[in-house]
Amino acid sequence: MPRRRLSERQVQRIRTIQERRRQHLAERAERALSEMDAESEAEVAEESGLVVVRHGANLAVEDAEGRVVHCLARRHIGEPVCGDRVVWQRSGPDRGVVTAIQPRETVLSRPDYSGRDKPLAANITCLVILVAPQPEPSGFLVDQYLVAAELMGVQALIVANKVDLISGEAEAAFRARFAHYPTIGCPTLFTSLKVPATLDAPIAALRAQTSILVGQSGVGKSSLIKTLLPDREIQIGRLSQATGLGRHTTSAATCYRLPCGGFLIDSPGVRSFRLGAIDRAKLQWGFRELRPHLGRCRFADCRHESEPDCAVRAAAEEGLVASERLANFRHLADFIAKGPLARDND
Ligand SMILES: Nc1nc2c(ncn2[C@@H]2O[C@H](COP(=O)(O)OP(=O)(O)OP(=O)(O)O)[C@@H](O)[C@H]2O)c(=O)[nH]1
Ligand SMILES: [Mg+2]
Ligand SMILES: [Zn+2]
């Protein structure tokens, strides 16, 4: 069915209704606290929940007691995604209808084939970029994720996994490729799932965060989750039992509860990640080590390429900006100048 365009009035009406539903939920919590009245419980059947996974229109929502309910979303409330906190109403045993999305603190999105931003996950506080010696790491991909993290205002972390596969010069070269990231506020942790002690640092970093694991296919995202969550199969089992949605866990972002507190979201591997519609100023802002040098070039619209008296290039020559980062910045700036990025097929 073709999607109907909504008028400004309709959009406003939907917003008002969602706001009313959020208010209901807040009021209900207050009432429950003040009187614990069984009758009022029955009267207002709106509950809060967390979207654990979405497959098309189907949602697995975890209720306040940790039970998983199979939900569909009301039309026109927007698209709930993994990590969304929602208001929902029970419509049958283990079934419900999502009636509103709570305001998102953060959202990670990427453009769909028509160029529109498509949310992948909501309310994340930490973006964990996994890389490995195999598949060959892409600094370009890592830098795009770092821009996304900067623009969302969340901490980013690189987990360089599978270090057991390399040694000697290959290992030194692999480690050197990531040496500049800690200097720009992005810690890099080297791990091997075969060496449990290497997981202590990531476990500490993930505590009490809502983190999403992103990166190319085969770097070990799902394996890391399996290692960190001894009950992962049980969590998937609960999902499957209630909704039938747990079986294809690597084809959609899926949220797991960490034993040490917090959430960890597994996401399907990508070949490339494309930033949404951002302008050059935002892109520059997304490369945090460029910030002290911006506005210091001779030309206000300096592209930091071959212009004279370019403060950014001077910084790179002094070693204050890694040359690979500057190259990736220029590459992304070119993409932006050319308009919507070329369609890719991951
Ligand atoms: N040697 C070694 N192999 C690992 C390590 N971590 C993961 N692997 C292996 O790497 C392969 C891919 O791991 P997955 O966890 O499926 O990778 P993924 O990132 O989830 O991949 P997608 O779901 O396709 O995005 C599996 O065969 C794992 O056993 C590691 O530290 N060392
Ligand atoms: Mg996976
Ligand atoms: Zn410049």
Side-chain angles (χ1 to χ4, degrees), residues 49-280:
L50 170 80
V51 176
V52 176
V53 65
R54 187 190 99 203
H55 282 282
N58 297 288
L59 303 164
V61 173
E62 194 180 275
D63 72 8
E65 278 81 46
R67 284 185 299 256
V68 179
V69 186
H70 184 178
C71 287
L72 294 174
R74 281 262 161 83
R75 287 194 335 142
H76 306 316
I77 64 165
E79 275 193 16
V81 293
C82 179
D84 261 324
R85 290 185 275 269
V86 293
V87 181
W88 65 280
Q89 293 173 320
R90 199 171 289 281
S91 61
D94 297 330
R95 297 216 147 241
V97 177
V98 171
T99 56
I101 304 173
Q102 301 275 20
R104 291 169 173 156
E105 312 252 334
T106 58
V107 56
L108 177 67
S109 14
R110 78 190 289 257
D112 65 10
Y113 290 138
S114 62
R116 253 182 310 214
D117 268 1
K118 191 173 162 230
L120 299 175
N123 300 315
I124 60 174
T125 60
C126 180
L127 185 75
V128 182
I129 308 160
L130 248 82
V131 293
Q134 281 301 328
E136 175 70 22
S138 159
F140 188 55
L141 183 64
V142 170
D143 285 346
Q144 286 182 78
Y145 277 125
L146 287 184
V147 172
E150 285 290 346
L151 298 182
M152 273 191 292
V154 304
Q155 173 69 49
L157 186 70
I158 295 174
V159 170
N161 188 34
K162 301 199 196 184
V163 290
D164 58 282
L165 294 181
I166 43 172
S167 58
E169 270 177 35
E171 185 180 358
F174 179 69
R175 286 177 182 265
R177 284 186 73 156
F178 302 96
H180 57 285
Y181 287 107
T183 67
I184 54 168
C186 175
T188 304
L189 309 174
F190 293 90
T191 61
S192 162
L193 301 190
K194 303 198 166 171
V195 186
T198 63
L199 299 177
D200 292 349
I203 289 170
L206 298 174
R207 189 166 294 136
Q209 304 281 338
T210 297
S211 310
I212 184 165
L213 300 185
V214 295
Q216 287 161 279
S217 196
V219 289
K221 299 181 293 296
S222 303
S223 311
L224 177 64
I225 289 192
K226 250 182 240 168
T227 312
L228 298 185
L229 282 101
D231 69 340
R232 175 178 175 269
E233 295 305 324
I234 299 170
Q235 294 198 38
I236 291 176
R238 265 183 339 137
L239 265 182
S240 277
Q241 207 181 2
T243 67
L245 298 177
R247 277 169 277 126
H248 313 289
T249 47
T250 42
S251 63
T254 308
C255 186
Y256 299 94
R257 261 175 204 281
L258 279 167
C260 58
F263 297 93
L264 195 51
I265 300 176
D266 194 4
S267 77
V270 298
R271 247 175 280 168
S272 65
F273 172 77
R274 287 168 300 148
L275 291 163
I278 61 168
D279 58 18
R280 194 182 161 87

Side-chain angles (χ1 to χ4, degrees), residues 19 41 45 106 110 168 193 197 213 227 247 272 282 288 296 302 309-310 345:
E19 190 46 49
E41 286 269 356
T106 58
R110 78 190 289 257
L193 301 190
L213 300 185
T227 312
R247 277 169 277 126
S272 65
K282 271 199 171 155
R288 68 155 69 178
R296 295 180 161 193
C302 183
D309 295 332
C310 168
N345 55 357

